[in-house]
Amino acid sequence: MSVYLYILVMAAVTYLIRLLPLTLIRRPIQNRFLKSFLYYVPYACLMAMTFPAVFYATDHPAAAVAGVAVATVLALRKKGLVAVAVAASVTVFLVARVLELL
């Protein structure tokens, strides 16, 4: 029975989190700082969820670091998402294989 209570509480909290901004904020947000902050929240949350997992996805932390370095350089050079992901994955694969040979 307590599992259903937990699910009900989680549903209520999720609903309130989505409902309150819609009811409390009726006018467009004019504050530049707040608009900028809200713009970057999804990116920050995604980064906080995925970045630690990158280092635990392989047996070799050095390979993970190399992949992150390649992805960072390519992203800063404004390459596309697919190119960055493929290059980082290939880098991790190759560095891991080289480290296994050593």
Side-chain angles (χ1 to χ4, degrees):
M1 182 64 182
S2 65
V3 173
Y4 295 116
L5 180 62
Y6 294 147
I7 293 172
L8 183 65
V9 169
M10 286 189 306
V13 168
T14 302
Y15 182 72
L16 285 174
I17 288 172
R18 295 169 194 268
L19 177 72
L20 285 176
L22 290 174
T23 58
L24 297 178
I25 303 171
R26 295 190 182 266
R27 293 177 288 141
I29 299 172
Q30 300 296 328
N31 187 334
R32 287 180 56 196
F33 175 77
L34 186 59
K35 285 175 79 169
S36 174
F37 175 79
L38 292 174
Y39 178 80
Y40 288 109
V41 165
Y43 300 111
C45 289
L46 181 63
M47 186 71 174
M49 290 187 299
T50 59
F51 191 71
V54 168
F55 295 102
Y56 296 110
T58 180
D59 293 334
H60 303 286
V65 170
V68 168
V70 167
T72 302
V73 168
L74 292 177
L76 289 174
R77 291 186 178 183
K78 308 251 189 249
K79 301 298 179 185
L81 179 63
V82 174
V84 171
V86 168
S89 298
V90 169
T91 302
V92 170
F93 177 77
L94 293 176
V95 171
R97 296 298 154 246
V98 168
L99 290 174
E100 286 177 2
L101 293 175
L102 297 178

